[in-house]
Amino acid sequence: MSFLQKIGVVPNLEKQPEHDECAIENVSRRSFIKGAGMTGASLVIGVQFSANSLAASKSDEFSPDVFISMDKKGTVTVISHRSEMGQGIRSSLPLLIADEMECDWERVVVEQAIGDAKYGSQNTDGSRSVRRFYVRLKQAGATARTMLQQAAAQVWKVDVDQVTIYNHQAKLNNSNKTLDFAQLGEIAASLPVPDKETLKLKTEAEHRYVGKENMENLDGKAIVTGKAIFGFDVEVTGMKYAVIARPPVVFGKVKSLDDSEAMKVPGVIKIIQMPALSPPAVFNMLGGVAVIAENTWAAIEARKKLKIEWDHGANASYNTKSHEAVFKKALQNPPHTVRNRGDWEQAKSAANKTLTQDYYVAGLAHATMEPPAATAIVTDKGVDVWTCTQTPQSAQRNAMGVMQYPQERAKDVNIHVTLLGGGFGRKSKPDYIAEAVFLAKETGMPIKVQWTREDEIKHGYYHSPSYQRLSATFDKKGAATGWYHSMVNHPIAATFNPNAKQAGSAELGQADMPYDLPNIKILNGESDTFMRIGWVRSVTNINNAFAACSFADEMAYHAGQDPKDYLLQLIGKDQHIDLAKDGYQYGNYGEQASVFPVDTARLKNVIKLVANKAGWGKKLAKGHGMGIAAHRSFCGYIATVVEVSTDNGKVKLENITYAVDSGKVINPDRVRSQMEGAAIFSTSLAFYGEITADNGIVEQGNFHDYEMARMSQIPDIEVHIVNSDEPPAGVGEPGVPPFAPALCNAIFAATGNRYRRLPLKQFGIV
Amino acid sequence: MIELTINGSPHKLDVAAEMPLLWALRDILKMTGSKYGCGMGLCGACTVHLDGEATRSCVLPVSAAVGRKITTIEGLSENGDHPVQKAWLDKKVAQCGYCQVGQIMSATSLLDKNDQPTDDDIDQAMGGNICRCGTYPRIRSAIHSAAKLYREAK
Ligand code: FES
Ligand code: FES
């Protein structure tokens, strides 16, 4: 099991069932549905995805991941167990069920599951929600449909095949007779679940919702009227507001505190010292001093008046800029060979020419539009938390840790998931939830902890800065013979284990690179870590793809060839790359290679498609340039063409084109919106993204020094989706990695200047 | 006591004169439609109308809003059917949705003054609103289609 699997960034394959393995049960009469808030339902189908699901379904241990329930009016409620943070998951997953069940979409309601082990893994990281559940959710929908069909057949006393189910109705063939789902629920509830083998799943052509345009966004209306409830918006009776002065340096401690001035601020109720944090950081509270007040403003004002002397601790030695030299040194002789093909050293000594370049990508913060927030109530009976979280179950574990509850009290901790004002990986780290629970416990009051923007920027789980060295060898004829890529960063693993030093994660875009060369060497260096490091949308694919896709472009230039043609040539023949042959055990985002191979044909296809759509090779206006990059991540294949213009030394984005092959598409509009979002997220990071620390203290604090792309900088974005029958891949993250290299390749094409460091702000060109 | 007129109704608030309007709306009046994003006037999430003008409520002390007409998202339309809200739904602008109230308040203030905005006008008027999810192109196109609805309604 790889490290990322262990901590849940990518799922653990050993524990994951086959793609179509699940247990589907009629649970209409089971007692536990009351606890799940479905009393009043007539028909309830439970679906469990776990590996031992079949055994479990026969016993009391059956604990469904997804419920489909129908009330007496025929309203179908799908309990969605994934957090919504802008990707449309809340509508995509139920869409599958509703389509297969032949529901009228207008009569489908989606409810958010609360965080509980009974819903299976609720993690919304790793772009895998749709990827994992496609077939199983279809089966669940088909089960309900078949039972309703059988119920109608019973009523009419006919064979099942005399009944057609369409749009929330059963119709008796060759007659005008119809029955609404509402009239069939009770009867269906008394029927056994049909054998999975007998289910007739709809074909792609029969889908009415899946893959179709113009499916309404479930939360759209609530959002545009301001009624949508995010973590920040939660309001419970008697609630007080908390902001926290956290140690400026990770693992720092309060040396002394004078809160006398702060206590004088009207509205301040209490000032509480938080427990200090010692390594490892994991998802624990950072410590510091909390101000509890009647309103947010009073809390913020009082926090300014706290006089705290900090013991900054060992991490105060850290300076991001000077650490670059340490990184560089770490790549002189990196100790960890991750992937090895042929003989790189041999290739180097035989080479006619070797091209070597270094790349540096700065550290990044998530900057979710909504900073972290959590509201907690603690009583003798247990804990209720309302919060924006991507991972309700680790939130539950975290809350239990604070309460020092034994495992059997898990049922007393309810995590109610609100909408998320952006996640990007930040909201899968529930440190803020622990803070709310701690303060609610200490004060006996309902507490809402809100992070200000400064808190969010200064106390993040950052994407690590990284230093990379790329090398390629060429023979006498100029043909490429070898590829070398070494990388060092502060590993995410260090957040969980202070002794972890090996750079992470090669499996995200470094070691799984697709170029077919006879000699390949992929290495990782080692470094200490001084901040909390975490996963930010697409994780180390950001820096790995930046370096690898930029370097491929440099090789094309060196060879005097068109970058797109050269890229296709580097990728070579159609094949499923067998990384094990190069001595590399590839994590493949938790997926099996047989289902989700590294397929070079699909990668080449998106390259050709994007080039074609963007008009690659056409004559461009003076000062314009086009760049291309392609990258596979989260089992999706994305190619991007960026066209820039330059004026007075400033770069302007002119056109952005994406081609996406993410397998079967459930909601094409949400795929497009994810690519648009990825392009803009990447513009921010490529132009401005840079977190630095001095004396261990983060130097940025708000949008003036951690800038975001603005509307005027973003042209229209064209997204072309490959029509595919392959199993669905993730779409939330893979749009990010190819953008920055395509951009820098375009700048090179326009200006002849090669930028090997991000962000570009440092060069004064944006 | 601070007296404010919000969405046409008078409100009396017992808060410090320097409390930003955003927190008065959210914490005191429980009108949570206006969002917090930066507290420094940098992101536009908290945008409301002050006498029709798009204003960042996170940096506006309540005392400065006395005697002026405040409109928030809660008062923009009765049934969520303002042309801008309609266009937003039609273009499926929202991703996470957190910034969108502020975007809509900035867009309505622009369109109230100019119902034939160019791309440049839009970029200019919307420059203070960040969308981290990246919905800018859709916002631009939604504003154009809302502008059409404005003109038709005339
Ligand atoms: S919260 Fe007011 S501008 Fe950002
Ligand atoms: S939609 Fe998420 S920040 Fe704009």
Side-chain angles (χ1 to χ4, degrees):
Chain A
M1 186 165 51
S2 80
F3 173 72
L4 285 181
Q5 285 171 340
K6 232 179 270 167
I7 60 172
V9 175
V10 297
N12 171 7
L13 197 56
E14 293 150 38
K15 278 203 287 183
Q16 292 289 335
E18 298 285 320
H19 271 262
D20 56 354
E21 187 184 332
C22 69
I24 299 171
E25 288 293 301
N26 178 353
V27 294
S28 311
R29 307 279 184 263
R30 295 265 188 120
S31 57
F32 62 66
I33 67 168
K34 289 198 193 70
M38 283 174 293
T39 27
S42 53
L43 173 68
V44 185
I45 305 281
V47 191
Q48 184 180 349
F49 297 143
S50 72
N52 56 353
S53 52
L54 291 176
S57 72
K58 305 285 173 263
S59 72
D60 284 346
E61 279 163 46
F62 182 62
S63 84
D65 299 288
V66 175
F67 288 102
I68 308 167
S69 79
M70 188 163 73
D71 67 13
K72 307 223 153 57
K73 288 195 198 114
T75 303
V76 171
T77 302
V78 177
I79 306 230
S80 164
H81 59 311
R82 301 276 135 176
S83 299
E84 181 60 64
M85 47 185 178
Q87 354 68 316
I89 289 293
R90 259 159 60 85
S91 41
S92 292
L93 297 183
L95 210 59
L96 265 174
I97 292 177
D99 198 330
E100 196 63 50
M101 186 172 163
E102 267 304 331
C103 291
D104 177 351
W105 185 239
E106 301 278 313
R107 292 172 71 185
V108 177
V109 178
V110 178
E111 233 169 63
Q112 190 77 51
I114 54 177
D116 198 311
K118 75 166 164 279
Y119 295 111
S121 166
Q122 295 174 305
N123 198 335
T124 318
D125 270 329
S127 295
R128 67 174 173 278
S129 298
V130 171
R131 200 166 81 220
R132 296 217 69 90
F133 298 114
Y134 189 81
V135 176
R136 299 182 248 175
L137 292 174
K138 271 176 76 87
Q139 285 173 345
T143 299
R145 166 170 45 78
T146 308
M147 290 166 74
L148 289 159
Q149 187 185 24
Q150 288 166 347
Q154 256 188 33
V155 173
W156 288 319
K157 304 199 171 53
V158 296
D159 273 355
V160 179
D161 52 15
Q162 293 301 303
V163 178
T164 307
I165 301 284
Y166 183 77
N167 208 36
H168 244 83
Q169 281 197 331
K171 189 176 170 308
L172 182 60
N173 293 353
N174 306 317
S175 84
N176 294 331
K177 283 193 191 159
T178 59
L179 284 167
D180 190 82
F181 277 10
Q183 297 163 280
L184 296 169
E186 286 286 347
I187 307 167
S190 66
L191 299 173
V193 164
D195 250 4
K196 224 182 290 166
E197 289 66 44
T198 65
L199 293 175
K200 287 194 199 77
L201 297 189
K202 283 183 167 184
T203 63
E204 299 297 314
E206 285 166 339
H207 281 153
R208 297 196 298 128
Y209 305 140
V210 173
K212 299 291 183 279
E213 301 289 347
N214 287 321
M215 291 310 299
E216 209 177 290
N217 251 0
L218 275 169
D219 303 304
K221 184 83 187 243
I223 286 170
V224 301
T225 52
K227 295 198 177 106
I229 299 296
F230 295 89
F232 246 73
D233 302 330
V234 169
E235 172 77 35
V236 299
T237 319
M239 179 181 91
K240 307 299 175 198
Y241 299 78
V243 297
I244 300 172
R246 298 177 184 78
V249 182
V250 179
F251 304 129
K253 292 176 175 51
V254 177
K255 211 193 281 174
S256 71
L257 166 68
D258 171 1
D259 62 8
S260 50
E261 289 303 310
M263 278 306 290
K264 288 185 195 149
V265 174
V268 170
I269 301 166
K270 243 183 181 148
I271 289 171
I272 293 178
Q273 274 213 39
M274 309 290 290
L277 175 66
S278 46
V282 196
F283 304 139
N284 299 317
M285 299 176 269
L286 279 169
V289 179
V291 180
I292 316 270
E294 295 291 349
N295 59 70
T296 312
W297 174 245
I300 290 175
E301 287 301 290
R303 180 171 70 171
K304 288 184 198 156
K305 298 203 155 77
L306 289 172
K307 294 195 190 82
I308 307 172
E309 212 186 320
W310 299 100
D311 169 3
H312 289 312
N315 286 336
S317 65
Y318 175 61
N319 175 285
T320 308
K321 295 219 163 72
S322 59
H323 197 79
E324 186 180 335
V326 179
F327 274 167
K328 189 171 179 179
K329 214 165 141 218
L331 288 192
Q332 272 168 12
N333 210 351
H336 304 282
T337 300
V338 185
R339 177 180 170 193
N340 193 19
R341 177 191 290 179
D343 187 340
W344 162 256
E345 301 304 332
Q346 205 326 37
K348 220 167 109 180
S349 46
N352 186 44
K353 160 112 203 193
T354 304
L355 185 66
T356 300
Q357 296 295 354
D358 290 1
Y359 296 82
Y360 184 83
V361 178
L364 302 169
H366 297 87
T368 52
M369 204 67 220
E370 173 199 37
T375 304
I377 298 182
V378 173
T379 64
D380 296 347
K381 293 205 194 71
V383 181
D384 278 275
V385 180
W386 291 261
T387 186
C388 42
T389 177
Q390 290 172 253
T391 50
Q393 286 155 352
S394 66
Q396 188 186 41
R397 276 197 298 278
N398 234 21
M400 287 172 64
V402 173
M403 296 303 296
Q404 298 183 315
Y405 278 177
Q407 186 52 39
E408 55 277 18
R409 291 208 68 186
K411 60 175 182 350
D412 299 335
V413 179
N414 295 315
I415 307 291
H416 310 267
V417 183
T418 63
L419 288 179
L420 277 64
F424 312 129
R426 177 63 184 90
K427 291 174 182 166
S428 53
K429 305 168 181 83
D431 53 339
Y432 51 103
I433 291 160
E435 290 174 340
V437 172
F438 175 80
L439 289 171
K441 176 172 152 251
E442 288 298 298
T443 59
M445 297 184 245
I447 297 288
K448 172 152 80 175
V449 169
Q450 296 175 107
W451 287 46
T452 63
R453 177 61 54 201
E454 286 77 9
D455 298 341
E456 194 271 337
I457 300 282
K458 289 192 179 295
H459 304 287
Y461 284 87
Y462 305 100
H463 171 81
S464 171
S466 59
Y467 197 101
Q468 305 178 74
R469 178 157 301 158
L470 278 287
S471 232
T473 51
F474 300 89
D475 66 15
K476 273 208 208 63
K477 289 188 204 124
T481 55
W483 174 273
Y484 171 101
H485 184 175
S486 63
M487 190 265 285
V488 64
N489 64 9
H490 306 296
I492 292 173
T495 299
F496 301 86
N497 166 14
N499 298 321
K501 293 205 184 338
Q502 179 180 350
S505 300
E507 63 187 346
L508 306 179
Q510 186 195 9
D512 54 345
M513 73 86 198
Y515 307 139
D516 194 10
L517 296 169
N519 304 288
I520 294 171
K521 192 155 193 167
I522 310 288
L523 302 118
N524 285 162
E526 292 194 341
S527 169
D528 289 326
T529 298
F530 310 88
M531 305 163 100
R532 299 193 299 180
I533 303 297
W535 45 102
V536 175
R537 194 177 189 178
S538 88
V539 203
T540 42
N541 282 296
I542 295 171
N543 51 281
N544 288 331
F546 174 67
C549 299
S550 296
F551 194 63
D553 200 73
E554 299 208 42
M555 289 167 69
Y557 178 73
H558 172 81
Q561 288 189 40
D562 173 79
K564 185 242 333 170
D565 295 341
Y566 195 79
L567 194 53
L568 291 170
Q569 191 186 310
L570 267 181
I571 297 166
K573 62 177 182 286
D574 290 0
Q575 63 170 327
H576 295 174
I577 301 176
D578 182 1
L579 291 157
K581 260 201 204 151
D582 301 344
Y584 176 47
Q585 292 309 321
Y586 179 41
N588 199 26
Y589 301 92
E591 302 293 354
Q592 289 159 327
S594 56
V595 185
F596 290 97
V598 182
D599 185 339
T600 57
R602 291 175 74 188
L603 188 62
K604 286 189 293 179
N605 183 45
V606 288
I607 293 171
K608 288 175 200 158
L609 178 63
V610 79
N612 183 289
K613 296 291 181 183
W616 184 265
K618 73 183 176 199
K619 195 162 164 28
L620 299 178
K622 201 166 165 287
H624 285 229
M626 255 192 202
I628 190 167
H631 189 70
R632 173 191 185 271
S633 67
F634 303 88
C635 306
Y637 300 79
I638 318 275
T640 307
V641 168
V642 174
E643 182 179 340
V644 298
S645 64
T646 48
D647 186 23
N648 256 329
K650 297 283 182 199
V651 169
K652 181 164 175 268
L653 292 166
E654 294 289 343
N655 287 298
I656 300 169
T657 315
Y658 269 76
V660 187
D661 177 355
S662 56
K664 266 179 218 153
V665 168
I666 294 174
N667 193 336
D669 181 70
R670 289 299 95 182
V671 173
R672 271 197 297 278
S673 66
Q674 282 303 301
M675 295 306 135
E676 293 159 12
I680 297 168
F681 189 93
S682 306
T683 302
S684 292
L685 78 86
F687 281 17
Y688 308 119
E690 181 164 32
I691 290 291
T692 56
D694 189 22
N695 299 320
I697 302 172
V698 171
E699 296 175 296
Q700 293 70 33
N702 208 317
F703 293 128
H704 61 290
D705 52 14
Y706 195 74
E707 291 171 77
M708 295 290 130
R710 303 273 174 169
M711 189 178 290
S712 62
Q713 297 170 299
I714 304 297
D716 284 348
I717 298 164
E718 249 186 65
V719 180
H720 301 277
I721 302 173
V722 173
N723 199 341
S724 165
D725 262 339
E726 299 288 339
V731 293
E733 302 181 77
V736 172
F739 182 88
L743 165 67
C744 290
N745 294 344
I747 297 172
F748 177 76
T751 65
N753 298 329
R754 178 65 67 181
Y755 296 99
R756 302 186 184 91
R757 299 176 68 92
L758 296 181
L760 296 170
K761 181 178 67 170
Q762 64 196 292
F763 304 108
I765 59 169
V766 293
Chain B
M1 276 294 165
I2 301 273
E3 295 188 21
L4 298 178
T5 309
I6 304 168
N7 301 327
S9 313
H11 292 271
K12 278 196 185 145
L13 290 104
D14 182 14
V15 299
E18 64 274 16
M19 178 187 281
L21 177 61
L22 175 68
W23 299 117
L25 289 171
R26 290 180 56 83
D27 294 356
I28 314 295
L29 297 168
K30 313 297 180 196
M31 295 165 74
T32 54
S34 309
K35 303 301 183 207
Y36 167 85
C38 68
M40 284 178 70
L42 300 167
C43 77
C46 62
T47 305
V48 301
H49 295 173
L50 198 64
D51 294 333
E53 209 55 57
T55 303
R56 314 297 177 218
S57 67
C58 69
V59 286
L60 183 80
V62 280
S63 54
V66 173
R68 317 202 32 197
K69 217 176 113 218
I70 302 163
T71 309
T72 69
I73 191 73
E74 288 87 355
L76 188 64
S77 67
E78 195 105 320
N79 303 309
D81 53 1
H82 186 282
V84 170
Q85 288 169 318
K86 279 200 206 148
W88 244 247
L89 288 177
D90 185 49
K91 299 286 177 193
K92 298 198 193 68
V93 171
Q95 286 188 35
C96 81
Y98 192 79
C99 73
Q100 297 299 343
V101 161
Q103 307 278 3
I104 287 170
M105 296 312 282
S106 290
T108 46
S109 156
L110 161 70
L111 290 170
D112 287 344
K113 280 172 283 181
N114 173 3
D115 64 10
Q116 275 191 7
T118 62
D119 276 356
D120 279 349
D121 295 338
I122 294 173
D123 287 350
Q124 190 93 47
M126 303 302 292
N129 287 80
I130 294 174
C131 174
R132 179 62 161 154
C133 294
T135 62
Y136 298 136
R138 291 191 192 216
I139 290 175
R140 206 154 41 219
S141 104
I143 292 177
H144 282 305
S145 59
K148 219 168 134 222
L149 296 175
Y150 263 68
R151 295 196 296 271
E152 282 163 12
K154 263 194 191 159

